[in-house]
Each structure stands twice: as C-alpha cells, then as structure tokens.
Amino acid sequence: MSIVNFYIKALVGGLLIALFIPYFYITGNRHKASRSLLSSLILKVFGVKPKITGTADPKTGIFLINHQSVLDIVAMEAITKDANLCWIAKR
C-alpha cells in the first residue's frame, strides 16, 4: 500500500469515526441497523476483518470487554447484528 493510500484511508476512517461517536450519543439505543452499517463501513475503510470465534449464548445479557481503542467498539457494533448494545465507560 502506498503512503498516499494509507493517509487517504486514515483521513476517511478518522472522519467516519468522528461522526460515529456523536451519532451514538444522539441516537441512543435506536437505529441499531444504521450503527451496524456505519461500523461495517469504517472497518472496510481501515481494512479490518474481525475474526469471530464461537457464538454468544442467546440468553447473554451482558458483554464485558476491555477494549484498547475506538475500533474495538466499532467492531462490536459491526459484528453484533441482532444485539442492541449499550456502552458504559468509567471516567
């Protein structure tokens, strides 16, 4: 990948993420389908293909993750098509 291509992807991906975070706050727990679509688009721009191992128990009420970046949240939104996720963060 050329350096120009890298910077274009970084710019587009960064802009999408900059729009994505406020969208979470504005829509709350509504519009899961559009959040999932936007998340999938962000992952495609960055060339990320999440590796899913196993399946979640349908009775699962909570996912506890120790995420390392904003992309972890984006990936969870993209791969959990049926679950309407709610994010809680500490200060």
Side-chain angles (χ1 to χ4, degrees), residues 31-68:
H31 310 295
K32 168 60 181 166
S34 60
R35 287 194 331 253
S36 182
L37 180 67
L38 181 59
S39 298
S40 297
L41 178 63
I42 291 169
L43 293 180
K44 284 183 184 174
V45 166
F46 281 120
V48 175
K49 295 179 184 172
K51 179 182 176 185
I52 303 168
T53 305
T55 59
D57 184 346
K59 295 183 267 181
T60 299
I62 188 168
F63 291 103
L64 180 64
I65 65 170
N66 182 16
H67 69 91
Q68 302 296 313

